[in-house]
Amino acid sequence: MTYYADPTEKEIARAKLPHDIFLSNLIGNHILMFTAISTFGPTYMKYLFLVPLISFLALGYTYWRSSKVKREESEFVWAHWQVARRWSRFFMMILVLLVSVSTLGVLGHMYLGMMKEAVYAMIGGLGILPTLVSVLVLIVIESDSLHHARMGTLPKWALKRFLNIEPEPSQDD
């Protein structure tokens, strides 16, 4: 861990917020809500559109709010919002892929006569699988970012990328 400055408790709480929002979206929405809806069977599958909709709202808020945080106020808080913004942008692209593949699958079934099973395979393999893998990987990444925020630190790559500070070499390198 690399220390930048000793942030106050208020700054630590504000730096944790974007990571809390992002992790709540990933765990609560993409894992728990997706599982709850899909467990009820085919009659409730039409409600699965709520998962990416809620996710786009949470990611959009994170993206918007990260552009409003003032760097002059606290670079520590600003850098943590930028970390969350970076991963939000990546996950938003994954969700756009999911929605695009799903839309193409439905249109292919309706207008091109694709078999229902082929559409399920296409949506599952090209849309849902990359989304679920990304969710799991991002949970690990964001948990580490949340840990850094709690400790009052920034990851080395974030120090270099957002604050132009060369991290001190450690024994681990």
Side-chain angles (χ1 to χ4, degrees):
M1 289 190 284
T2 304
Y3 291 90
Y4 169 62
D6 292 333
T8 64
E9 290 298 319
K10 187 176 180 181
E11 288 176 332
I12 288 174
R14 289 192 334 219
K16 287 178 5 183
L17 181 64
H19 307 298
D20 287 336
I21 292 170
F22 198 72
L23 281 171
S24 297
N25 178 35
L26 292 175
I27 296 169
N29 186 28
H30 284 276
I31 292 179
L32 298 176
M33 192 163 149
F34 176 80
T35 305
I37 292 172
S38 56
T39 314
F40 285 115
T43 47
Y44 290 96
M45 286 296 182
K46 60 187 169 206
Y47 296 113
L48 279 178
F49 80 93
L50 290 173
V51 174
L53 178 68
I54 292 170
S55 190
F56 276 123
L57 291 174
L59 294 172
Y61 174 75
T62 302
Y63 202 79
W64 172 79
R65 182 73 174 94
S66 67
S67 65
K68 299 295 180 195
V69 172
K70 301 287 185 214
R71 184 173 182 167
E72 297 80 29
E73 185 178 331
S74 170
E75 284 192 334
F76 176 73
V77 174
W78 178 82
H80 275 283
W81 275 97
Q82 300 314 306
V83 169
R85 179 184 178 125
R86 177 184 184 194
W87 298 119
S88 294
R89 184 181 316 128
F90 170 75
F91 194 57
M92 204 175 292
M93 289 188 287
I94 296 294
L95 288 179
V96 167
L97 173 72
L98 170 64
V99 170
S100 300
V101 167
S102 300
T103 303
L104 290 174
V106 169
L107 291 175
H109 177 66
M110 290 172 55
Y111 297 113
L112 299 177
M114 288 178 67
M115 292 182 354
K116 183 171 60 171
E117 293 79 11
V119 171
Y120 287 161
M122 184 175 90
I123 293 172
L126 298 176
I128 294 175
L129 183 63
T131 303
L132 293 178
V133 170
S134 298
V135 165
L136 295 175
V137 169
L138 286 172
I139 286 172
V140 172
I141 291 171
E142 273 300 301
S143 294
D144 181 55
S145 298
L146 180 61
H147 175 73
H148 276 287
R150 283 186 184 139
M151 296 294 118
T153 61
L154 283 164
K156 288 182 181 182
W157 66 267
L159 278 172
K160 188 172 183 169
R161 180 174 179 147
F162 299 122
L163 301 178
N164 292 326
I165 296 174
E166 283 295 324
E168 299 170 4
S170 66
Q171 295 175 350
D172 297 337
D173 292 340

